[in-house]
Amino acid sequence: MPLTLLLVLIVLPLRELPMRWLLVATGILALLAFVFAELDWGLPGNFAKLWAAVFAGWAFLGFFEFLSWVVIVALIVPVVDALSVWQGPTHAITKHHFGVYTAVAVAFVVPGGGAAYLGPPDILFFSLFLGAAARWGLRVNWTWAAMTAMYGLTVVTANAANVGGLPALPFLSFGFLVANADLLIRQ
């Protein structure tokens, strides 16, 4: 997971592309993910899903005029994600239609040969928060490290508790907010 998410940090300057190009990249990558799935090309399809969500997150960031809006989202999405995973749409999909979830989720290999999955919103908000850190002069590297560590903690906690999955956005938001708390308060 850290090595895959490191790629997002490395290509972070691409977030400055015009929104139309970010949206075109999102669409092309989503289409490639679909084609690769139809061809049963798992690894290329997984990376196409990852990059489609990353570019979508950067495009979405273009709608934020102020850093305070990002902070509000970082405070709200954990609640929405937790409700969705425990009793809402994500719960219904993962419980009754797991194949649908894995078709759109990004898989990360875990020790023992299994996979941990992050849904498209998890990747979208990862890139949005990382892009926000760069855009508003926050701690980009610390933000990446904290959010990546929190996603790792999500996987470890889910396995230790022997649950099928946990809402990842509360962990992600916490990582973003903690890595930049003093700067966010000042701004």
Side-chain angles (χ1 to χ4, degrees), residues 2-171:
L3 292 176
T4 301
L5 293 176
L6 181 61
L7 297 173
V8 179
L9 179 63
I10 291 169
V11 301
L12 185 59
L14 293 177
R15 80 184 191 293
E16 296 179 356
L17 289 170
M19 185 182 292
R20 69 180 176 278
W21 289 111
L22 294 171
L23 293 171
V24 166
T26 300
I28 290 170
L29 288 161
L31 180 61
L32 283 173
F34 174 78
V35 169
F36 292 153
E38 291 299 308
L39 295 172
D40 203 25
W41 293 357
L43 187 60
N46 198 55
F47 276 100
K49 289 186 283 187
L50 170 82
W51 291 113
V54 167
F55 281 99
W58 290 337
F60 187 43
L61 179 61
F63 293 106
F64 289 76
E65 294 183 27
F66 304 103
L67 177 58
S68 60
W69 294 7
V70 177
V71 173
I72 291 167
V73 166
L75 295 170
I76 293 172
V77 295
V79 175
V80 173
D81 191 39
L83 292 173
S84 178
V85 169
W86 282 321
Q87 295 299 322
T90 304
H91 175 77
I93 291 169
T94 56
K95 185 171 182 166
H96 303 292
H97 308 285
F98 194 68
V100 172
Y101 178 72
T102 58
V104 296
V106 178
F108 295 88
V109 178
V110 296
Y117 295 94
L118 291 177
D122 302 326
I123 302 298
L124 183 148
F125 282 105
F126 182 92
S127 66
L128 182 136
F129 291 151
L130 190 62
R135 180 174 169 187
W136 279 287
L138 303 177
R139 296 183 184 97
V140 174
N141 292 335
W142 281 108
T143 300
W144 175 87
M147 293 190 312
T148 301
M150 293 310 292
Y151 270 167
L153 181 61
T154 305
V155 171
V156 169
T157 303
N159 286 331
N162 198 26
V163 295
L166 287 175
L169 293 179
F171 290 83

